[in-house]
Amino acid sequence: MNGAEGARAAVRQLQAREQAAPGNADVKLELALALRAAGEPGRAEAKVREAIRMADGHPRAQHLLGFMLHARGALAEAATHLLRARELHNDVRDPYHLAALALHALRDHAALARLRAPADPAQHFGECVLRAIAAWQDGDRDACGHALATAARLVASAPAAAPNRAAFETYRRFLAELLAAPPAPARPDAPAGAVHAIGDSHSLTAAHRRIDVGHGLQRIESELVFGCMAWHLANPVPTPQSAAFDAAIERCRAESAVLMCFGELDCRSTGGLFKRLRGMASPDLRGEVSRLAAGYVGRLSDRAQRRRLRVIVVTPPASNADDSALSSADRALFRAIAPAFAEALRASARDRGWPVVDLAAATRRPDGAAAAEHYVDSNHVRPDVLVSAARVAGFDAT
């Protein structure tokens, strides 16, 4: 019996149990999980809702519904149920940090700060890092430092294989570097939130810097979309990442300028384009990066037109990662991906008349290697590098 047949058999067995005990909410939850495993997420969600109608005070049912809603990008409703689960029983584990991630995606930083410390140290570690990210975005350097200090004390208690642990540790170290860098020159006359930076972790580098897009120096407000790749935006299937991106777009002031900072995650050796191309008998590098860039830029164009936003594309920086463990063939492929994607992104932006802040060019030496002096880690650049790239693009920036 294969996996699909086993899932369908489990559904049939649980349906029989449900008929025998129609008032048992736990059986409905087991059936919901089996339906989800059988590829029927809609029916699975309906079963969880049935269980909640029968037993509203069932924390596991609330959490499971929040999990399912989050997976399809219904972030606000997901947050409601995930928080309800914690309210009913604070020891309900949320190993994937879904409640905190949903609150962050909705930019409900106040609710994120109010979350009670969970019993699970790995979950607590991740939530502390998310609070530090929110504080950095809000310009509260003291709160950011405090949250990072708490996270530093917890990191040793978080198992290395815990979900999101590696990503949160990268964010913790990156934020510490951003805090240590000199802040942007004080300009109280620069209005807040007049320019936005929406992107993956690189959008945090732009936070609170100043840029002149035609109306004098204005402060950049960062809108981090956690874990979002260009692939999530090019793909029409709803995801938490694409929903968080859409929410960030809706928060932008109409007719404001937006720096779009996506694509670096797609160019890493741990997945994205590398994984896809590596699995091809005859890798079509140019075709893959061109399709990805066109799909990503198409999503940006559609959303920007709705809000009358002025898009400024930021190319991902060159990778400063150590690729010595890769085979020579894989290393050659990996090193070709980021430059090819950056070129495809420039071309797609140029077709729409969008300016480009070219971090890819700013961070690559003439021999093609990354200029290591520009980085704070294997992927993130110092804020002054972004400022320099903006000036090369014709924008005054500080």
Side-chain angles (χ1 to χ4, degrees):
M1 183 181 293
N2 60 34
E5 291 172 348
R8 287 193 292 271
V11 167
R12 289 191 295 271
Q13 292 172 359
L14 286 161
Q15 285 174 329
R17 287 179 58 192
E18 183 189 33
Q19 288 180 346
N24 190 323
D26 289 326
V27 171
K28 291 187 183 295
L29 294 184
E30 290 183 52
L31 176 55
L33 290 170
L35 285 165
R36 193 169 189 272
E40 298 189 59
R43 290 182 64 198
E45 186 179 311
K47 280 297 167 191
V48 182
R49 291 185 185 277
E50 283 183 33
I52 288 175
R53 284 194 294 271
M54 290 169 51
D56 177 65
H58 197 306
R60 180 167 167 248
Q62 296 285 352
H63 183 82
L64 183 55
L65 181 55
F67 175 89
M68 291 179 174
L69 290 165
H70 190 274
R72 64 175 176 84
L75 300 179
E77 190 181 0
T80 297
H81 290 283
L82 292 164
L83 294 175
R84 174 66 173 149
R86 287 175 75 138
E87 174 189 321
L88 291 167
H89 201 308
N90 196 50
D91 288 341
V92 172
R93 292 188 69 243
D94 186 5
Y96 294 95
H97 310 89
L98 299 184
L101 285 170
L103 292 173
H104 179 266
L106 298 167
R107 207 175 176 103
D108 193 345
H109 292 175
L112 178 59
R114 288 195 303 269
L115 288 177
R116 286 185 293 168
D120 178 9
Q123 182 183 335
H124 191 192
F125 167 68
E127 291 181 1
C128 282
V129 174
L130 279 167
R131 278 198 288 271
I133 290 170
W136 174 258
Q137 291 175 277
D138 292 340
D140 191 337
R141 297 173 67 90
D142 290 340
C144 181
H146 178 74
L148 288 179
T150 304
R153 292 194 296 270
L154 289 165
V155 65
S157 302
N164 299 327
R165 196 267 196 191
F168 283 132
E169 177 60 0
T170 297
Y171 272 101
R172 182 182 74 84
R173 294 177 181 275
F174 174 41
L175 281 172
E177 293 287 348
L178 289 178
L179 272 178
R187 282 295 302 268
D189 58 321
V195 180
H196 307 267
I198 302 179
D200 55 25
S201 53
H202 298 277
S203 65
L204 297 177
T205 305
H208 317 302
R209 311 310 295 191
R210 274 74 171 177
I211 189 169
D212 184 353
V213 294
H215 306 287
L217 286 173
Q218 298 173 313
R219 185 163 69 82
I220 301 172
E221 182 170 315
S222 169
E223 288 281 2
L224 167 68
V225 185
F226 191 90
C228 188
M229 304 166 71
W231 177 86
H232 290 111
L233 303 181
N235 191 333
V237 177
T239 64
Q241 292 85 357
S242 59
F245 169 79
D246 287 343
I249 286 284
E250 288 302 310
R251 287 193 293 269
C252 293
R253 299 180 184 182
E255 302 183 0
S256 59
V258 184
L259 286 81
M260 295 291 188
C261 318
F262 294 98
E264 189 268 317
L265 293 174
D266 299 87
C267 298
R268 293 189 181 183
S269 64
T270 50
L273 286 162
F274 179 72
K275 182 178 181 181
R276 194 151 61 250
L277 288 161
R278 195 184 187 197
M280 295 179 177
S282 300
D284 179 14
L285 173 61
R286 186 175 297 276
E288 284 294 313
V289 298
S290 295
R291 283 187 288 273
L292 178 61
Y296 160 49
V297 168
R299 177 70 165 261
L300 300 188
S301 180
D302 176 73
R303 298 306 190 267
Q305 285 179 13
R306 297 182 191 182
R307 301 284 294 158
R308 304 187 305 280
L309 303 175
R310 178 186 176 190
V311 175
I312 301 168
V313 170
V314 181
T315 59
S319 175
N320 191 39
D322 180 4
D323 58 12
S324 60
L326 297 177
S327 68
S328 57
D330 282 349
R331 191 180 309 121
L333 173 61
F334 169 62
R335 292 183 179 182
I337 287 171
F341 178 74
E343 183 51 45
L345 194 52
R346 292 185 198 103
S348 291
R350 189 165 54 243
D351 289 344
R352 285 169 169 77
W354 293 346
V356 174
V357 173
D358 204 344
L359 276 182
T363 54
R364 197 174 294 281
R365 296 201 307 249
D367 64 359
E373 66 273 15
H374 293 329
Y375 293 77
V376 299
D377 57 23
S378 60
N379 296 292
H380 298 100
V381 299
R382 301 194 321 264
D384 62 287
V385 180
L386 175 68
V387 168
S388 296
R391 288 175 176 168
V392 170
F395 301 107
D396 186 19
T398 62

